[in-house]
Amino acid sequence: MSKDAPTVTIERPIESLHESHETIVSLHTRKLFVPDAPEPHLAYNASKRILDLVVASLALVATSPVFLIVALFNFRGGGVFYKQRRLGIGGRVFVCYKFRSMVPGAEELREQIESLNITRGPTFKNEEDPRVTRIGRFLRRTSLDELPQLINVIRGEMSLVGPRPLAVDENRYRGYQHLRLSVIPGLTCIWQVSGRSTIAFDRWMDMDLEYVDTRSLAKDVWLLIRTVPAVLSGDGAY
């Protein structure tokens, strides 16, 4: 990243973003507005929502034994689930669910290990993150930690396919990267099927913007199909 590149930051308090259908961000002295991007057409919007509801509901039923098994192994020291405030479409805050994969108080410990970050961006990625528990490493390697987000999909806060939602304190963008907030975030997207954590942050943002510009129901189905081998390979999952 160039040190001279402009940095986009949220202008108004993060708690107020959910009250509007657009996000105001500041590019130095210039204000940019992030509206809820119109879908290509109404049929796509409706079809995508139906696909989300049907697949997420079936997947929740099919993986219910996994929820039970993870609960048995992961109920001590912080609980089974991890809840994190993330930004969705238009910058609206929602609670994102995951199976807990880190020790209690992991977010408070991040500052102490920031030097281990390999992303050169606001997110934290390291294959040997010392905060991750033994069961957590397995959950992350198999992407099982993301299963509870099927609940977010059914609630309409996420979609099966869309840019991954970042934590509230990780939403710091450069240039037009903030436009990824113009669509509903998802469980999988181009980044997930292309190497995930092995990809530099700016390239990740470019992939998300590519999806925003070219999304269609056919592309969503294609990305869902490609997600299966990507998850099985575990490439970049940590």
Side-chain angles (χ1 to χ4, degrees):
M1 294 183 185
S2 171
K3 292 183 178 179
D4 297 325
T7 299
V8 175
T9 55
I10 299 295
E11 169 150 344
R12 62 175 133 157
I14 207 73
E15 290 78 9
S16 67
L17 293 180
H18 70 283
E19 299 173 358
S20 172
H21 287 273
E22 60 185 13
T23 301
I24 300 179
V25 295
S26 174
L27 179 57
H28 293 313
T29 58
R30 176 187 174 193
K31 290 183 179 179
L32 300 174
F33 294 83
V34 186
D36 287 356
E39 302 293 357
H41 46 72
L42 184 61
Y44 168 72
N45 187 40
S47 300
K48 183 179 178 71
R49 183 58 182 151
I50 292 172
L51 179 67
D52 285 345
L53 288 173
V54 171
V55 174
S57 298
L58 292 175
L60 268 178
V61 172
T63 60
S64 56
V66 177
F67 278 74
L68 179 59
I69 294 172
V70 173
L72 292 174
F73 282 92
N74 206 31
F75 72 95
R76 295 181 179 177
V80 178
F81 298 103
Y82 174 67
K83 302 175 184 178
Q84 187 176 50
R85 295 168 70 247
R86 300 193 182 190
L87 290 192
I89 185 170
R92 292 191 290 275
V93 178
F94 71 99
V95 177
C96 183
Y97 298 99
K98 297 181 68 172
F99 283 131
R100 185 176 59 82
S101 61
M102 290 187 175
V103 298
E107 291 186 350
E108 289 73 18
L109 296 173
R110 173 171 168 172
E111 186 176 346
Q112 302 176 21
I113 59 171
E114 192 62 47
S115 61
L116 301 178
N117 192 2
I118 65 172
T119 64
R120 291 191 297 177
T123 58
F124 185 95
K125 299 291 183 182
N126 188 293
E127 191 170 7
E128 301 300 327
D129 190 332
R131 300 172 299 170
V132 179
T133 63
R134 184 182 303 177
I135 182 66
R137 293 193 187 282
F138 171 77
L139 293 174
R140 288 183 167 214
R141 179 63 62 184
T142 57
S143 296
L144 290 175
D145 62 320
E146 310 287 355
L147 275 182
Q149 287 164 37
L150 291 170
I151 298 172
N152 292 115
V153 173
I154 292 175
R155 292 174 56 170
E157 297 158 335
M158 291 178 62
S159 176
L160 293 173
V161 182
R164 289 293 298 161
L166 299 183
V168 166
D169 61 356
E170 292 178 341
N171 281 272
R172 299 189 295 275
Y173 301 114
R174 303 165 71 84
Y176 288 95
Q177 293 174 349
H178 67 281
L179 292 175
R180 71 192 299 274
L181 294 174
S182 64
V183 299
I184 298 176
L187 283 172
T188 188
C189 205
I190 300 173
W191 177 73
Q192 275 76 11
V193 303
S194 304
R196 287 184 276 188
S197 298
T198 63
I199 298 171
F201 183 79
D202 281 351
R203 178 58 183 146
W204 172 6
M205 298 298 102
D206 289 342
M207 290 178 173
D208 286 346
L209 294 179
E210 177 187 340
Y211 173 77
V212 171
D213 289 338
T214 62
R215 66 195 188 281
S216 67
L217 190 63
K219 185 156 194 171
D220 286 355
V221 172
W222 175 71
L223 286 169
L224 284 173
I225 293 173
R226 285 195 59 191
T227 298
V228 175
V231 168
L232 291 177
S233 71
D235 185 25
Y238 50 82

